[in-house]
Amino acid sequence: MTVATAVKPLMLGPNISVRLRKVGQEQQPLLVVDDVLADPWAMVDAARAADFYRPPHTNYPGLNANLPEAYYRTVVTALRGPIEAAFGLRADAVLKFFGFFALATTPASAATPVQTVPHLDGPDPNRLAMVHYFCQGDFGGTGFFRHQATGFESVDATRTDAYATALKAELAHERRAFAGADTPGYDLIEAVEPVFNRLIIYRGHVFHAGLLGHGGGAADPATGRLTANGFIEAVDTG
């Protein structure tokens, strides 16, 4: 059993900035929030004290650990207004959150085929994904993609079957690197740099991937590609 590390109450940064970008031909919203926390190193310290594990039921290429509860109370709650405006969520919807620390550590040589292509978190456009960068150094950020065979930049329930058929054939080809600008079958249409203390939020049904190149980083939260990853689901109460 893993236990979330307790941290002091988190405060928003005094210079926090929120920008809305639109991605690709579909103009999918991408919320970019810089200087999110006043003391982002408190999260790094929490990660160093956390119990990391290899998640058994996901395709994440590395290790996970529980996030402090204070993170949700501070960040997701404070950004509710911009999230509603960017993604068209109802003001009376309940926002459910699940998140975890993430360390990308898997080398491309050990990756499974599905880990080397852009992915989706599900077909629901109201299920949002987020990545908060707590790393410094020569790491890749997050990329967004267009699938060449179908032209899709996102996959909702009406597109699932068409994409699944195409993906099955594509995964039969050997790949030697994680998703990026040279990934066969996909066009990189947007990339976000992993600026320390930057948070991005996007719809989970868009094609995306960590830009890990030929491999992840160290398993040490102080030096590796540490992020806080999460999912936000809007549930209507009416």
Side-chain angles (χ1 to χ4, degrees), residues 111-184:
T112 62
V114 75
Q115 290 177 323
T116 62
V117 295
H119 65 276
L120 314 153
D121 298 321
D124 184 358
N126 289 322
R127 190 170 190 254
L128 311 180
M130 55 176 276
V131 180
H132 194 159
Y133 304 106
F134 291 109
C135 52
Q136 297 186 92
D138 188 21
F139 297 109
T142 302
F144 298 88
F145 298 82
R146 179 183 302 113
H147 184 238
Q148 293 174 354
T150 60
F152 298 160
E153 296 172 358
S154 64
V155 175
D156 61 13
T158 67
R159 295 176 168 182
T160 299
D161 290 344
Y163 176 62
T165 299
L167 179 63
K168 183 177 180 180
E170 292 167 356
L171 289 180
H173 300 289
E174 182 180 2
R175 300 170 188 266
R176 299 182 181 274
F178 287 104
D182 299 324
T183 299

Side-chain angles (χ1 to χ4, degrees), residues 25-37:
Q25 297 174 353
E26 295 183 7
Q27 292 287 281
Q28 293 287 349
L30 169 63
L31 206 59
V32 181
V33 189
D34 284 314
D35 299 315
V36 178
L37 295 175

Side-chain angles (χ1 to χ4, degrees), residues 12-21 30-37 75 78-87 197-201:
L12 293 180
N15 299 315
I16 187 173
S17 67
V18 181
R19 292 173 291 141
L20 177 62
R21 290 156 62 172
L30 169 63
L31 206 59
V32 181
V33 189
D34 284 314
D35 299 315
V36 178
L37 295 175
V75 175
L79 292 176
R80 177 170 182 130
I83 292 171
E84 287 179 4
F87 299 99
N197 202 22
R198 167 178 285 175
L199 168 69
I200 62 173
I201 304 175

